[in-house]
Amino acid sequence: MFKVFSVLIFAVINITQLSIFEIEGIFSNAHVNSVERYFSENNLESNDLFVVQYNATDSTDKAIEDFTNLLNSENTYKAIWVGPNKTTIDYNLIKSFDFIGISPGTVISNYIEDNFIEGLCNLNTCTSNTLTITAQEGVYKDYLIVGTLGAFLEKLGSETIISNLDNETNLTFKLETDEVQVIKFNKPSLAERFYIAIANPLFSYLFFALGFSLIGLELFAIGPGLMAFIGALLIGLSSMVFSEFGLNYYGLILFAISFFMFIKVLSRGFFGYLGLVALFFLHSSAIVMYSNYSINVNSWLLLLASAVVAFFYFIAIPTVIRSRLTTDTNGMGSFEGKNVQLIEKIYDSKGIVEYNNNRFVVELASVDDHKINETYQIKEIEGKLSI
């Protein structure tokens, strides 16, 4: 950014305002809303230049359609530079700009045969549905191939570049320092950047599943409700993107089944085959939910996310529950001598008992001799409650 700024300080362009908007992450309606808000707050004139630095990892058809309609409604010069990373951009988006800069390695998808594409294919690599920029850097007819945004702006100001939209020779930009009054670098707001980050299917699925796991933890390690609140917050935030990106809601049915299976597993205190079946349903739900997603979903990363959620259910949550129950049990010395009812036997010679509608874990002197729903007297042995 400093390099670009230094170029603009000493270089000039015959416009009164230069606006540079950066698109990163997954191109979505959050970017469109941010640009639309910028246009409404800043009345761009016909002699202003709006520059987009496009470095998106993926995009949705709806966002591209809305963005092109927005650009077409603005009466100002528009330029785009695609880079610096190897990026794939839809042709429907790139053709909406007056001036086009492309970094080497850029892939243009969904193109249609026209004069612009014909000129590109003569010097670059074309297949049936994609075009890869392989030509040397330089100024070409209708486009520029440059490796940096600074070089793109410098070429745009020092060369005679004709608008791709109007094809009129008088639509050129020459550098004149005195005429540049405003230079603005713009990005989406903090909330919009969070939406863009959560649009990543890996994060949305991970946050959604972990949100439910925290609610499940709250059911067994009852506290002030903080974990349930955080879980509900994660569920709400992650589900914001489901509508735009086309989540398959049938997968939520499988997800609900897996959630109740995990709750049953946690209540039993050991996993066994039911835990493996729950994990199978969990990952199957992810596959179904993202089967029709608007952007590409990496199957291996989705499997990794399922493994992270399984770690929470199999290791992290039981550890917290045992710690919480042990703490509660150590504080129950006053129960010594009380008669309690055995509700359930769990692993490691422990059982859940009930006294005055309160349930807690105690040691079992003998697993085989104790029967469910029978009444036993509490004893304290080496600081632990036992029956």
Side-chain angles (χ1 to χ4, degrees), residues 25 102 158 199 288 310:
I102 311 171
S158 61
V288 175

Side-chain angles (χ1 to χ4, degrees), residues 78-329:
K78 300 170 284 287
I80 184 172
W81 176 69
V82 185
N85 299 326
K86 184 178 180 180
T87 307
T88 299
I89 185 170
D90 194 287
Y91 179 63
N92 293 315
L93 177 60
I94 206 172
K95 69 179 182 180
S96 300
F97 290 87
D98 294 277
F99 309 101
I100 300 171
I102 311 171
S103 61
T106 297
V107 176
I108 301 175
S109 62
N110 301 324
Y111 68 82
I112 57 176
E113 295 291 344
D114 57 13
N115 293 333
F116 178 77
I117 291 298
E118 183 179 353
L120 278 171
C121 287
N122 290 335
L123 299 173
N124 300 278
T125 304
C126 290
T127 61
S128 58
N129 56 358
T130 61
L131 187 158
T132 304
I133 302 300
T134 56
Q136 297 293 324
E137 293 189 16
V139 179
Y140 298 86
K141 184 178 182 297
D142 301 329
Y143 65 96
L144 296 82
I145 299 180
V146 288
T148 65
L149 177 60
F152 172 63
L153 295 174
E154 186 177 12
K155 292 288 186 183
L156 194 62
S158 61
E159 303 285 346
T160 300
I161 310 296
I162 301 175
S163 169
N164 289 319
L165 299 182
D166 292 345
N167 292 320
E168 296 182 5
T169 49
N170 62 344
L171 291 181
T172 59
F173 293 92
K174 297 186 182 300
L175 299 177
E176 297 176 5
T177 307
D178 295 338
E179 295 187 10
V180 179
Q181 299 177 3
V182 180
I183 302 171
K184 293 184 177 181
F185 293 92
N186 306 281
K187 279 188 176 183
S189 65
L190 182 61
E192 289 164 340
R193 289 201 294 269
F194 179 80
Y195 181 93
I196 295 167
I198 206 69
N200 188 310
L202 174 65
F203 292 138
S204 62
Y205 168 60
L206 193 59
F207 285 7
F208 186 76
L210 290 180
F212 275 94
S213 67
L214 289 176
I215 292 177
L217 174 59
E218 187 69 34
L219 295 176
F220 291 93
I222 299 176
L226 180 60
M227 288 179 291
F229 172 77
I230 296 175
L233 184 64
L234 289 177
I235 294 171
L237 293 175
S238 60
S239 60
M240 290 191 306
V241 302
F242 288 169
S243 177
E244 178 182 353
F245 290 89
L247 189 82
N248 188 339
Y249 292 101
Y250 288 109
L252 295 179
I253 299 176
L254 295 176
F255 183 86
I257 294 175
S258 71
F259 175 70
F260 289 119
M261 282 185 175
F262 278 121
I263 294 300
K264 179 61 179 178
V265 166
L266 292 173
S267 66
R268 292 171 57 186
F270 63 95
F271 298 97
Y273 292 111
L274 183 60
L276 296 178
V277 173
L279 177 57
F280 172 78
F281 270 89
L282 174 67
H283 187 61
S284 298
S285 70
I287 295 175
V288 175
M289 283 192 293
Y290 293 97
S291 59
N292 297 324
Y293 217 54
S294 299
I295 60 178
N296 295 325
V297 181
N298 190 307
S299 301
W300 291 107
L301 291 180
L302 209 59
L303 179 61
L304 176 62
S306 296
V308 171
V309 178
F311 172 82
F312 264 74
Y313 279 114
F314 292 159
I315 299 177
I317 293 179
T319 301
V320 175
I321 293 175
R322 284 197 297 268
S323 175
R324 183 61 182 269
L325 291 178
T326 302
T327 302
D328 293 342
T329 301

Side-chain angles (χ1 to χ4, degrees), residues 66-83:
D66 293 343
F67 194 54
T68 54
N69 292 335
L70 177 62
L71 292 175
N72 294 334
S73 66
E74 290 296 319
N75 184 27
T76 186
Y77 293 133
K78 300 170 284 287
I80 184 172
W81 176 69
V82 185

